[in-house]
Amino acid sequence: MSEHSYVPGTAAEKWLDDRLPVARFAKEHLMDFPTPKNLNYWWTFGAILVMCLAVQIVTGIILAMHYTPNVAMAFDSVEHIRRDVNGGRIIQATHAVGASMFFLALYVHIFRNLFFGSYKAPREILYIIGVIIFILTMATAFMGYVLPWGQMSFWGATVITNIFSAIPVVGESVLQLLRGGFAVGNPTLNRFFSLHYLLPFVIAALVALHIWALHVPGNNNPIGVDVKSTRDTVPFHPYYTMKDLFAMVLFMIPFAWFIFFAPDILGHPDNYIQANSQVTPAHIVPEWYLLPFYTILRAIDFNVLFINSQLGGVIAMALSMIALLVVPWLDTAKVRSGLFRPVFKWFYLLFLINFIGLTYLGAQPAEGIYVVLAKVCTAYYFIHFFVVLPVLSRIEKPLPLPTSISENVLGKAHA
Amino acid sequence: MAEQAQHSTNRRDFIFVATGAVGAVGAAAVVWPLINQLNPDASTLALASIEFDLSAIPEGQSVTITWRGLPVFVRHRTQAEIDEARAVQIADLKDPQTDEERTKPDHAQWLIMVANCTHLGCVPLGQSGDFDGWFCPCHGSHYDTSGRIRQGPAPTNLVVPPYEFISDTLVQIG
Amino acid sequence: MIKTKTVLVTLALVFGLAAPAMAADTHSTPHIEKQQWSFAGIFGTYDRNQLQRGFQVYREVCASCHGARLIAFRNLSEEDGPGFSEEQVKALAAEYEVADPTVEGGTRAAVPADRWPSPFPTEQDARDANGGSLPPDFSVLAKARGIVDPFPNWIFNYFTGYSEGGVDYIRALLLGYHEEAPAGFDLPEGKYYNDYFPGHAIGMAPPLFDEQVVYEVAEGQAEVPLTAEQYATDVAAFMMWMAEPGLPGRKETGFRVLLFLFLFAGLLWATKRRIWAGIEH
């Protein structure tokens, strides 16, 4: 095991190691960390997400140097960045496109986790931290979208903050507290700017906890069988550092495509119109990554007992997040990986399609067939979590599992 | 341990070196724009050079204009002030410079200087001090009618910005 | 295999109904033809002559009502843009008065560093002069408009990088007037019927007519037709430049970046393969 422990090479390294063992920590956790050798490319999205967060923080700090958080100047200051600041158009486009790429990677990461059962014991805390990161990232992205102070910024802020008015009794007070006024205005823009700057660092801290929680049990893997011996693993460096780096560079190709050749295609034209509290755009559409939850919010257009439709929508949306948080206790099947769960596999696919459907419907006007479909998709979202997963855990007969990772790998190689 | 490492597969292979080199080039290409964005932007640079019409300033008067965010004195000097400036012994000066060096030929009546005291940057008061030029109230520097430092803590003469005459009454600063 | 069927039915529902069912509108908006723009596509750059013509149309026709507050005179001499000479721009700027509280009288002749002055002092003045309608500022208008592409075209747009919806719309709108509203359409007083304007009742009178602007044709260059269609195309192109002046440079950098990424990805793939060569996985 000598190759897995840190031995200070020089007196200076020894001196440092006795006081603050950062080099030891880096060697143990970033280089030698034993990682299952059968991780596929879906597992590279963790590293890609770290890169996305870094890109957003670096470009965001730069944009804040040139941006003015004031309702009279915000819109023009963003244009000033695009037009006058050296390289400003690229930096601004990277930040805006970066938000979409971040969520793309985030959704892949989440759906990888849901398929391979990475949320199951002993990784529940790891998973829950991940869901919290997801929710905080949505909040951060939403507040960031308000900053350019275009029409979608303003009306998005109005609609989303109005969600809080659904809270019984204190809703109206909470709403004014959040906005710092009776409507979205300068105080709102200022506090969103402040929080948009703060939250990424909170997210970064949670990412550190997420990785800590990962390094206690170690990685799950595509077959979901625990690591049995050192034969099942390789050191993180250079095996996964290089694989992750390769995946990151591949990921940067569509990223760069959007930045340089279609920087506005992921946004909405209406956000190039300065905010106007007198005129609402014909169709208010949040950014695509918020659409699935937006659809759930809109789908409840009927009163349930004493709960009115507005509060109902908010409850449904909150419940859709809570469903994610409690997945480890809804799906109690012993087998982790979807590869060995013949029935789950199909329901997972249905859930994935349903989720894409929710995304699509969020962008459509709330009329005609779309209203019905939104209700169907919302219903299935909840049925999947609260009915399908618990029932499958009890009745499904999983396929036989390989005894270890290396057995599975060898079997595949000689097949 | 060290020997073991040398014997292992750590051979410097072409592919590894090429990948590292290309990666380093890429990293540098990314870092440069992130630093360059700190430089003055296009709207700032557009005002780096300004034109100013002198015709409205009568003899014996000055105006203070803004150039690159700095105050700039433009003084229409009287003949007496020019004579006084040119009569000074160069050897007496702390920062030796002739009046001719500080003005343009055929335009000796125009004195154009950045209006920040070379000591610590205050704006000196015009037509005051012991040398009929400028006096800085912050720490007591006296400048003469050519804007040269004559007395006090300032180390050098008031700075003459780069400028040229486009016509007799139009000057381009910067 | 009920589950397979469910999957297929859901797929059909989600994607099959995607094409918006909008036939119900009796005064429907005709389909907007996508134009061939010099700045479209990955190799796109601005056509300097076209931008100069577009600027002429903007200045002689549109600028009396529409501002361009984010455009500075100096932008007009940009190499990638209309590319007027610095002397031309200086002379042009001097024809305009801009507000400057630091000078006597509060206004002075503009210099290249100044922004394009607004045609109206306040928004209310603009509305009063235009029958209650506000002529929008042109600075980013070409990006603030777009066309709705039906499924599945909008998916292809991500791969072709289609970003000309705004100019396609603007060109169509400028040419989309009708002398009289179709039967049964209740056109309010002081409004005009336009095929492409949302709601069809637009406050702007038809702005462009044949032979309205006389283009100067330089020695040895092809004659440009003096038609409303040509003016609309040229001014739309100019508006695209106003909205996205850095476009050619951005695409050029993009090429280098993509080339680099492909090379680096290839090298990393080789590196990764070599490293993993000894591991069965």
PDB file of all heavy atoms in Angstrom, chain A residues 270 273 281-283, chain C residues 25 27-30 32 144-148 169 173 185 187 191-203:
ATOM      1  N   ASP A 270     -37.156  38.962 -26.519  1.00  0.00           N
ATOM      2  CA  ASP A 270     -37.762  40.004 -25.693  1.00  0.00           C
ATOM      3  C   ASP A 270     -36.807  40.570 -24.652  1.00  0.00           C
ATOM      4  O   ASP A 270     -37.019  41.662 -24.135  1.00  0.00           O
ATOM      5  CB  ASP A 270     -39.020  39.470 -24.990  1.00  0.00           C
ATOM      6  CG  ASP A 270     -40.234  39.546 -25.897  1.00  0.00           C
ATOM      7  OD1 ASP A 270     -40.199  40.357 -26.843  1.00  0.00           O
ATOM      8  OD2 ASP A 270     -41.190  38.791 -25.677  1.00  0.00           O
ATOM      9  N   ILE A 273     -35.339  43.953 -25.159  1.00  0.00           N
ATOM     10  CA  ILE A 273     -36.163  45.151 -24.949  1.00  0.00           C
ATOM     11  C   ILE A 273     -36.035  45.513 -23.482  1.00  0.00           C
ATOM     12  O   ILE A 273     -36.181  44.652 -22.614  1.00  0.00           O
ATOM     13  CB  ILE A 273     -37.645  44.866 -25.284  1.00  0.00           C
ATOM     14  CG1 ILE A 273     -37.773  44.355 -26.712  1.00  0.00           C
ATOM     15  CG2 ILE A 273     -38.489  46.119 -25.067  1.00  0.00           C
ATOM     16  CD1 ILE A 273     -39.163  43.838 -27.046  1.00  0.00           C
ATOM     17  N   PRO A 281     -44.802  41.101 -22.119  1.00  0.00           N
ATOM     18  CA  PRO A 281     -44.622  40.401 -23.397  1.00  0.00           C
ATOM     19  C   PRO A 281     -45.749  39.389 -23.619  1.00  0.00           C
ATOM     20  O   PRO A 281     -46.346  38.893 -22.656  1.00  0.00           O
ATOM     21  CB  PRO A 281     -43.286  39.677 -23.228  1.00  0.00           C
ATOM     22  CG  PRO A 281     -42.616  40.322 -22.067  1.00  0.00           C
ATOM     23  CD  PRO A 281     -43.689  40.877 -21.202  1.00  0.00           C
ATOM     24  N   ALA A 282     -46.004  39.094 -24.890  1.00  0.00           N
ATOM     25  CA  ALA A 282     -47.115  38.203 -25.230  1.00  0.00           C
ATOM     26  C   ALA A 282     -46.989  36.840 -24.534  1.00  0.00           C
ATOM     27  O   ALA A 282     -47.947  36.320 -23.983  1.00  0.00           O
ATOM     28  CB  ALA A 282     -47.195  38.032 -26.740  1.00  0.00           C
ATOM     29  N   HIS A 283     -45.816  36.243 -24.593  1.00  0.00           N
ATOM     30  CA  HIS A 283     -45.603  34.955 -23.919  1.00  0.00           C
ATOM     31  C   HIS A 283     -44.427  35.086 -22.977  1.00  0.00           C
ATOM     32  O   HIS A 283     -43.314  35.326 -23.419  1.00  0.00           O
ATOM     33  CB  HIS A 283     -45.280  33.853 -24.926  1.00  0.00           C
ATOM     34  CG  HIS A 283     -46.375  33.610 -25.908  1.00  0.00           C
ATOM     35  ND1 HIS A 283     -47.601  33.136 -25.530  1.00  0.00           N
ATOM     36  CD2 HIS A 283     -46.435  33.797 -27.239  1.00  0.00           C
ATOM     37  CE1 HIS A 283     -48.372  33.045 -26.607  1.00  0.00           C
ATOM     38  NE2 HIS A 283     -47.687  33.454 -27.658  1.00  0.00           N
TER      39      HIS A 283
ATOM     40  N   ASP C  25     -56.695  31.686 -36.294  1.00  0.00           N
ATOM     41  CA  ASP C  25     -56.640  33.132 -36.519  1.00  0.00           C
ATOM     42  C   ASP C  25     -57.042  33.458 -37.957  1.00  0.00           C
ATOM     43  O   ASP C  25     -56.389  33.076 -38.908  1.00  0.00           O
ATOM     44  CB  ASP C  25     -55.216  33.598 -36.215  1.00  0.00           C
ATOM     45  CG  ASP C  25     -55.071  35.103 -36.337  1.00  0.00           C
ATOM     46  OD1 ASP C  25     -56.101  35.763 -36.534  1.00  0.00           O
ATOM     47  OD2 ASP C  25     -53.944  35.584 -36.235  1.00  0.00           O
ATOM     48  N   HIS C  27     -57.132  36.470 -39.531  1.00  0.00           N
ATOM     49  CA  HIS C  27     -56.196  37.375 -40.187  1.00  0.00           C
ATOM     50  C   HIS C  27     -54.801  36.887 -39.870  1.00  0.00           C
ATOM     51  O   HIS C  27     -54.066  37.485 -39.113  1.00  0.00           O
ATOM     52  CB  HIS C  27     -56.415  38.803 -39.708  1.00  0.00           C
ATOM     53  CG  HIS C  27     -57.829  39.231 -39.876  1.00  0.00           C
ATOM     54  ND1 HIS C  27     -58.356  39.530 -41.121  1.00  0.00           N
ATOM     55  CD2 HIS C  27     -58.843  39.358 -38.995  1.00  0.00           C
ATOM     56  CE1 HIS C  27     -59.635  39.839 -40.979  1.00  0.00           C
ATOM     57  NE2 HIS C  27     -59.952  39.742 -39.710  1.00  0.00           N
ATOM     58  N   SER C  28     -54.458  35.761 -40.441  1.00  0.00           N
ATOM     59  CA  SER C  28     -53.226  35.100 -40.031  1.00  0.00           C
ATOM     60  C   SER C  28     -52.011  35.827 -40.600  1.00  0.00           C
ATOM     61  O   SER C  28     -52.097  36.583 -41.555  1.00  0.00           O
ATOM     62  CB  SER C  28     -53.233  33.653 -40.497  1.00  0.00           C
ATOM     63  OG  SER C  28     -53.275  33.646 -41.903  1.00  0.00           O
ATOM     64  N   THR C  29     -50.896  35.581 -39.942  1.00  0.00           N
ATOM     65  CA  THR C  29     -49.635  36.151 -40.371  1.00  0.00           C
ATOM     66  C   THR C  29     -49.021  35.238 -41.408  1.00  0.00           C
ATOM     67  O   THR C  29     -48.812  34.062 -41.140  1.00  0.00           O
ATOM     68  CB  THR C  29     -48.703  36.271 -39.159  1.00  0.00           C
ATOM     69  OG1 THR C  29     -49.345  37.062 -38.174  1.00  0.00           O
ATOM     70  CG2 THR C  29     -47.383  36.904 -39.541  1.00  0.00           C
ATOM     71  N   PRO C  30     -48.741  35.744 -42.619  1.00  0.00           N
ATOM     72  CA  PRO C  30     -48.125  34.887 -43.625  1.00  0.00           C
ATOM     73  C   PRO C  30     -46.738  34.436 -43.164  1.00  0.00           C
ATOM     74  O   PRO C  30     -46.125  35.077 -42.309  1.00  0.00           O
ATOM     75  CB  PRO C  30     -48.021  35.782 -44.863  1.00  0.00           C
ATOM     76  CG  PRO C  30     -48.702  37.049 -44.538  1.00  0.00           C
ATOM     77  CD  PRO C  30     -48.910  37.119 -43.073  1.00  0.00           C
ATOM     78  N   ILE C  32     -42.922  34.045 -42.996  1.00  0.00           N
ATOM     79  CA  ILE C  32     -41.847  34.983 -43.320  1.00  0.00           C
ATOM     80  C   ILE C  32     -40.719  34.225 -44.019  1.00  0.00           C
ATOM     81  O   ILE C  32     -40.188  33.254 -43.496  1.00  0.00           O
ATOM     82  CB  ILE C  32     -41.330  35.691 -42.058  1.00  0.00           C
ATOM     83  CG1 ILE C  32     -42.426  36.598 -41.491  1.00  0.00           C
ATOM     84  CG2 ILE C  32     -40.063  36.478 -42.359  1.00  0.00           C
ATOM     85  CD1 ILE C  32     -42.064  37.283 -40.204  1.00  0.00           C
ATOM     86  N   ALA C 144     -34.088  42.065 -30.855  1.00  0.00           N
ATOM     87  CA  ALA C 144     -35.259  42.067 -29.981  1.00  0.00           C
ATOM     88  C   ALA C 144     -36.488  41.553 -30.709  1.00  0.00           C
ATOM     89  O   ALA C 144     -37.573  41.504 -30.158  1.00  0.00           O
ATOM     90  CB  ALA C 144     -35.517  43.471 -29.446  1.00  0.00           C
ATOM     91  N   ARG C 145     -36.315  41.197 -31.991  1.00  0.00           N
ATOM     92  CA  ARG C 145     -37.423  40.637 -32.754  1.00  0.00           C
ATOM     93  C   ARG C 145     -36.991  39.269 -33.253  1.00  0.00           C
ATOM     94  O   ARG C 145     -35.802  38.953 -33.296  1.00  0.00           O
ATOM     95  CB  ARG C 145     -37.757  41.529 -33.949  1.00  0.00           C
ATOM     96  CG  ARG C 145     -38.234  42.923 -33.568  1.00  0.00           C
ATOM     97  CD  ARG C 145     -39.615  42.893 -32.926  1.00  0.00           C
ATOM     98  NE  ARG C 145     -40.104  44.236 -32.629  1.00  0.00           N
ATOM     99  CZ  ARG C 145     -39.883  44.875 -31.483  1.00  0.00           C
ATOM    100  NH1 ARG C 145     -39.170  44.288 -30.540  1.00  0.00           N
ATOM    101  NH2 ARG C 145     -40.357  46.080 -31.280  1.00  0.00           N
ATOM    102  N   GLY C 146     -37.949  38.477 -33.632  1.00  0.00           N
ATOM    103  CA  GLY C 146     -37.601  37.155 -34.123  1.00  0.00           C
ATOM    104  C   GLY C 146     -38.777  36.570 -34.853  1.00  0.00           C
ATOM    105  O   GLY C 146     -39.846  37.181 -34.913  1.00  0.00           O
ATOM    106  N   ILE C 147     -38.555  35.412 -35.442  1.00  0.00           N
ATOM    107  CA  ILE C 147     -39.688  34.732 -36.059  1.00  0.00           C
ATOM    108  C   ILE C 147     -39.882  33.410 -35.339  1.00  0.00           C
ATOM    109  O   ILE C 147     -38.941  32.845 -34.793  1.00  0.00           O
ATOM    110  CB  ILE C 147     -39.496  34.515 -37.579  1.00  0.00           C
ATOM    111  CG1 ILE C 147     -38.262  33.655 -37.862  1.00  0.00           C
ATOM    112  CG2 ILE C 147     -39.394  35.834 -38.300  1.00  0.00           C
ATOM    113  CD1 ILE C 147     -38.108  33.329 -39.324  1.00  0.00           C
ATOM    114  N   VAL C 148     -41.129  32.961 -35.308  1.00  0.00           N
ATOM    115  CA  VAL C 148     -41.433  31.696 -34.652  1.00  0.00           C
ATOM    116  C   VAL C 148     -41.276  30.590 -35.685  1.00  0.00           C
ATOM    117  O   VAL C 148     -42.011  30.550 -36.666  1.00  0.00           O
ATOM    118  CB  VAL C 148     -42.856  31.709 -34.077  1.00  0.00           C
ATOM    119  CG1 VAL C 148     -43.150  30.385 -33.386  1.00  0.00           C
ATOM    120  CG2 VAL C 148     -43.019  32.865 -33.110  1.00  0.00           C
ATOM    121  N   TYR C 169     -37.703  39.337 -39.945  1.00  0.00           N
ATOM    122  CA  TYR C 169     -38.975  39.927 -39.530  1.00  0.00           C
ATOM    123  C   TYR C 169     -39.046  41.391 -39.916  1.00  0.00           C
ATOM    124  O   TYR C 169     -40.053  41.862 -40.456  1.00  0.00           O
ATOM    125  CB  TYR C 169     -39.158  39.753 -38.010  1.00  0.00           C
ATOM    126  CG  TYR C 169     -40.279  40.585 -37.437  1.00  0.00           C
ATOM    127  CD1 TYR C 169     -41.597  40.152 -37.524  1.00  0.00           C
ATOM    128  CD2 TYR C 169     -40.022  41.807 -36.827  1.00  0.00           C
ATOM    129  CE1 TYR C 169     -42.630  40.920 -37.020  1.00  0.00           C
ATOM    130  CE2 TYR C 169     -41.044  42.581 -36.316  1.00  0.00           C
ATOM    131  CZ  TYR C 169     -42.351  42.135 -36.417  1.00  0.00           C
ATOM    132  OH  TYR C 169     -43.370  42.901 -35.916  1.00  0.00           O
ATOM    133  N   LEU C 173     -41.701  43.113 -42.301  1.00  0.00           N
ATOM    134  CA  LEU C 173     -42.612  44.119 -41.761  1.00  0.00           C
ATOM    135  C   LEU C 173     -42.596  45.390 -42.608  1.00  0.00           C
ATOM    136  O   LEU C 173     -43.643  45.958 -42.923  1.00  0.00           O
ATOM    137  CB  LEU C 173     -42.222  44.451 -40.322  1.00  0.00           C
ATOM    138  CG  LEU C 173     -43.083  45.541 -39.677  1.00  0.00           C
ATOM    139  CD1 LEU C 173     -43.888  44.977 -38.531  1.00  0.00           C
ATOM    140  CD2 LEU C 173     -42.267  46.720 -39.228  1.00  0.00           C
ATOM    141  N   PHE C 185     -61.726  43.294 -40.849  1.00  0.00           N
ATOM    142  CA  PHE C 185     -60.733  43.686 -39.856  1.00  0.00           C
ATOM    143  C   PHE C 185     -61.025  45.108 -39.407  1.00  0.00           C
ATOM    144  O   PHE C 185     -61.172  46.014 -40.225  1.00  0.00           O
ATOM    145  CB  PHE C 185     -59.320  43.589 -40.434  1.00  0.00           C
ATOM    146  CG  PHE C 185     -58.253  43.840 -39.403  1.00  0.00           C
ATOM    147  CD1 PHE C 185     -57.766  42.797 -38.617  1.00  0.00           C
ATOM    148  CD2 PHE C 185     -57.738  45.113 -39.205  1.00  0.00           C
ATOM    149  CE1 PHE C 185     -56.801  43.017 -37.660  1.00  0.00           C
ATOM    150  CE2 PHE C 185     -56.768  45.349 -38.234  1.00  0.00           C
ATOM    151  CZ  PHE C 185     -56.297  44.293 -37.468  1.00  0.00           C
ATOM    152  N   LEU C 187     -59.856  48.236 -38.232  1.00  0.00           N
ATOM    153  CA  LEU C 187     -58.600  48.975 -38.102  1.00  0.00           C
ATOM    154  C   LEU C 187     -58.842  50.286 -37.361  1.00  0.00           C
ATOM    155  O   LEU C 187     -59.614  51.122 -37.814  1.00  0.00           O
ATOM    156  CB  LEU C 187     -58.029  49.250 -39.500  1.00  0.00           C
ATOM    157  CG  LEU C 187     -56.601  49.768 -39.556  1.00  0.00           C
ATOM    158  CD1 LEU C 187     -55.619  48.699 -39.092  1.00  0.00           C
ATOM    159  CD2 LEU C 187     -56.260  50.214 -40.975  1.00  0.00           C
ATOM    160  N   LYS C 191     -54.155  54.023 -37.606  1.00  0.00           N
ATOM    161  CA  LYS C 191     -53.298  52.839 -37.666  1.00  0.00           C
ATOM    162  C   LYS C 191     -53.258  52.329 -39.105  1.00  0.00           C
ATOM    163  O   LYS C 191     -54.097  52.680 -39.927  1.00  0.00           O
ATOM    164  CB  LYS C 191     -53.847  51.737 -36.744  1.00  0.00           C
ATOM    165  CG  LYS C 191     -53.886  52.132 -35.281  1.00  0.00           C
ATOM    166  CD  LYS C 191     -52.555  51.928 -34.618  1.00  0.00           C
ATOM    167  CE  LYS C 191     -52.640  52.253 -33.126  1.00  0.00           C
ATOM    168  NZ  LYS C 191     -51.352  52.231 -32.471  1.00  0.00           N
ATOM    169  N   TYR C 192     -52.275  51.472 -39.366  1.00  0.00           N
ATOM    170  CA  TYR C 192     -52.106  50.911 -40.707  1.00  0.00           C
ATOM    171  C   TYR C 192     -52.104  49.395 -40.596  1.00  0.00           C
ATOM    172  O   TYR C 192     -51.683  48.838 -39.591  1.00  0.00           O
ATOM    173  CB  TYR C 192     -50.794  51.415 -41.317  1.00  0.00           C
ATOM    174  CG  TYR C 192     -50.737  52.918 -41.372  1.00  0.00           C
ATOM    175  CD1 TYR C 192     -50.295  53.646 -40.266  1.00  0.00           C
ATOM    176  CD2 TYR C 192     -51.171  53.608 -42.498  1.00  0.00           C
ATOM    177  CE1 TYR C 192     -50.277  55.032 -40.287  1.00  0.00           C
ATOM    178  CE2 TYR C 192     -51.149  54.988 -42.528  1.00  0.00           C
ATOM    179  CZ  TYR C 192     -50.702  55.702 -41.418  1.00  0.00           C
ATOM    180  OH  TYR C 192     -50.685  57.055 -41.451  1.00  0.00           O
ATOM    181  N   TYR C 193     -52.564  48.762 -41.664  1.00  0.00           N
ATOM    182  CA  TYR C 193     -52.622  47.300 -41.635  1.00  0.00           C
ATOM    183  C   TYR C 193     -51.300  46.725 -42.137  1.00  0.00           C
ATOM    184  O   TYR C 193     -50.817  47.067 -43.205  1.00  0.00           O
ATOM    185  CB  TYR C 193     -53.769  46.768 -42.491  1.00  0.00           C
ATOM    186  CG  TYR C 193     -53.955  45.277 -42.333  1.00  0.00           C
ATOM    187  CD1 TYR C 193     -54.763  44.761 -41.313  1.00  0.00           C
ATOM    188  CD2 TYR C 193     -53.291  44.384 -43.166  1.00  0.00           C
ATOM    189  CE1 TYR C 193     -54.903  43.400 -41.134  1.00  0.00           C
ATOM    190  CE2 TYR C 193     -53.436  43.019 -42.997  1.00  0.00           C
ATOM    191  CZ  TYR C 193     -54.234  42.532 -41.975  1.00  0.00           C
ATOM    192  OH  TYR C 193     -54.365  41.192 -41.791  1.00  0.00           O
ATOM    193  N   ASN C 194     -50.713  45.839 -41.308  1.00  0.00           N
ATOM    194  CA  ASN C 194     -49.455  45.192 -41.677  1.00  0.00           C
ATOM    195  C   ASN C 194     -49.590  43.696 -41.453  1.00  0.00           C
ATOM    196  O   ASN C 194     -50.051  43.250 -40.406  1.00  0.00           O
ATOM    197  CB  ASN C 194     -48.316  45.765 -40.824  1.00  0.00           C
ATOM    198  CG  ASN C 194     -46.953  45.305 -41.326  1.00  0.00           C
ATOM    199  OD1 ASN C 194     -46.659  44.123 -41.318  1.00  0.00           O
ATOM    200  ND2 ASN C 194     -46.143  46.250 -41.767  1.00  0.00           N
ATOM    201  N   ASP C 195     -49.155  42.925 -42.452  1.00  0.00           N
ATOM    202  CA  ASP C 195     -49.279  41.466 -42.375  1.00  0.00           C
ATOM    203  C   ASP C 195     -48.533  40.869 -41.184  1.00  0.00           C
ATOM    204  O   ASP C 195     -48.953  39.864 -40.616  1.00  0.00           O
ATOM    205  CB  ASP C 195     -48.694  40.835 -43.648  1.00  0.00           C
ATOM    206  CG  ASP C 195     -49.722  40.776 -44.760  1.00  0.00           C
ATOM    207  OD1 ASP C 195     -50.915  40.886 -44.442  1.00  0.00           O
ATOM    208  OD2 ASP C 195     -49.320  40.609 -45.930  1.00  0.00           O
ATOM    209  N   TYR C 196     -47.382  41.455 -40.864  1.00  0.00           N
ATOM    210  CA  TYR C 196     -46.467  40.771 -39.953  1.00  0.00           C
ATOM    211  C   TYR C 196     -46.467  41.333 -38.541  1.00  0.00           C
ATOM    212  O   TYR C 196     -45.977  40.695 -37.623  1.00  0.00           O
ATOM    213  CB  TYR C 196     -45.045  40.803 -40.530  1.00  0.00           C
ATOM    214  CG  TYR C 196     -44.998  40.196 -41.906  1.00  0.00           C
ATOM    215  CD1 TYR C 196     -45.023  40.976 -43.050  1.00  0.00           C
ATOM    216  CD2 TYR C 196     -44.994  38.802 -42.054  1.00  0.00           C
ATOM    217  CE1 TYR C 196     -45.020  40.411 -44.307  1.00  0.00           C
ATOM    218  CE2 TYR C 196     -44.988  38.221 -43.306  1.00  0.00           C
ATOM    219  CZ  TYR C 196     -45.005  39.029 -44.437  1.00  0.00           C
ATOM    220  OH  TYR C 196     -45.007  38.455 -45.670  1.00  0.00           O
ATOM    221  N   PHE C 197     -46.994  42.556 -38.377  1.00  0.00           N
ATOM    222  CA  PHE C 197     -47.010  43.155 -37.046  1.00  0.00           C
ATOM    223  C   PHE C 197     -47.989  42.388 -36.161  1.00  0.00           C
ATOM    224  O   PHE C 197     -49.090  42.071 -36.591  1.00  0.00           O
ATOM    225  CB  PHE C 197     -47.441  44.621 -37.159  1.00  0.00           C
ATOM    226  CG  PHE C 197     -47.245  45.401 -35.902  1.00  0.00           C
ATOM    227  CD1 PHE C 197     -45.970  45.739 -35.474  1.00  0.00           C
ATOM    228  CD2 PHE C 197     -48.331  45.798 -35.126  1.00  0.00           C
ATOM    229  CE1 PHE C 197     -45.778  46.458 -34.311  1.00  0.00           C
ATOM    230  CE2 PHE C 197     -48.140  46.519 -33.957  1.00  0.00           C
ATOM    231  CZ  PHE C 197     -46.869  46.850 -33.552  1.00  0.00           C
ATOM    232  N   PRO C 198     -47.590  42.062 -34.909  1.00  0.00           N
ATOM    233  CA  PRO C 198     -48.523  41.332 -34.042  1.00  0.00           C
ATOM    234  C   PRO C 198     -49.810  42.138 -33.844  1.00  0.00           C
ATOM    235  O   PRO C 198     -49.749  43.301 -33.445  1.00  0.00           O
ATOM    236  CB  PRO C 198     -47.759  41.201 -32.722  1.00  0.00           C
ATOM    237  CG  PRO C 198     -46.320  41.399 -33.083  1.00  0.00           C
ATOM    238  CD  PRO C 198     -46.303  42.310 -34.269  1.00  0.00           C
ATOM    239  N   GLY C 199     -50.935  41.560 -34.185  1.00  0.00           N
ATOM    240  CA  GLY C 199     -52.196  42.277 -34.090  1.00  0.00           C
ATOM    241  C   GLY C 199     -52.530  43.064 -35.346  1.00  0.00           C
ATOM    242  O   GLY C 199     -53.633  43.567 -35.490  1.00  0.00           O
ATOM    243  N   HIS C 200     -51.548  43.172 -36.243  1.00  0.00           N
ATOM    244  CA  HIS C 200     -51.711  43.765 -37.577  1.00  0.00           C
ATOM    245  C   HIS C 200     -51.914  45.271 -37.631  1.00  0.00           C
ATOM    246  O   HIS C 200     -51.733  45.879 -38.676  1.00  0.00           O
ATOM    247  CB  HIS C 200     -52.841  43.082 -38.372  1.00  0.00           C
ATOM    248  CG  HIS C 200     -52.611  41.617 -38.561  1.00  0.00           C
ATOM    249  ND1 HIS C 200     -51.502  41.113 -39.193  1.00  0.00           N
ATOM    250  CD2 HIS C 200     -53.337  40.545 -38.162  1.00  0.00           C
ATOM    251  CE1 HIS C 200     -51.561  39.805 -39.191  1.00  0.00           C
ATOM    252  NE2 HIS C 200     -52.652  39.424 -38.569  1.00  0.00           N
ATOM    253  N   ALA C 201     -52.347  45.926 -36.532  1.00  0.00           N
ATOM    254  CA  ALA C 201     -52.585  47.376 -36.568  1.00  0.00           C
ATOM    255  C   ALA C 201     -51.338  48.083 -36.065  1.00  0.00           C
ATOM    256  O   ALA C 201     -51.048  48.092 -34.878  1.00  0.00           O
ATOM    257  CB  ALA C 201     -53.793  47.730 -35.713  1.00  0.00           C
ATOM    258  N   ILE C 202     -50.590  48.658 -36.979  1.00  0.00           N
ATOM    259  CA  ILE C 202     -49.313  49.274 -36.628  1.00  0.00           C
ATOM    260  C   ILE C 202     -49.439  50.788 -36.712  1.00  0.00           C
ATOM    261  O   ILE C 202     -50.183  51.321 -37.540  1.00  0.00           O
ATOM    262  CB  ILE C 202     -48.191  48.741 -37.560  1.00  0.00           C
ATOM    263  CG1 ILE C 202     -46.807  49.194 -37.066  1.00  0.00           C
ATOM    264  CG2 ILE C 202     -48.404  49.140 -39.012  1.00  0.00           C
ATOM    265  CD1 ILE C 202     -45.654  48.482 -37.782  1.00  0.00           C
ATOM    266  N   GLY C 203     -48.722  51.485 -35.830  1.00  0.00           N
ATOM    267  CA  GLY C 203     -48.811  52.944 -35.776  1.00  0.00           C
ATOM    268  C   GLY C 203     -47.964  53.638 -36.825  1.00  0.00           C
ATOM    269  O   GLY C 203     -48.146  54.817 -37.105  1.00  0.00           O
TER     270      GLY C 203
END
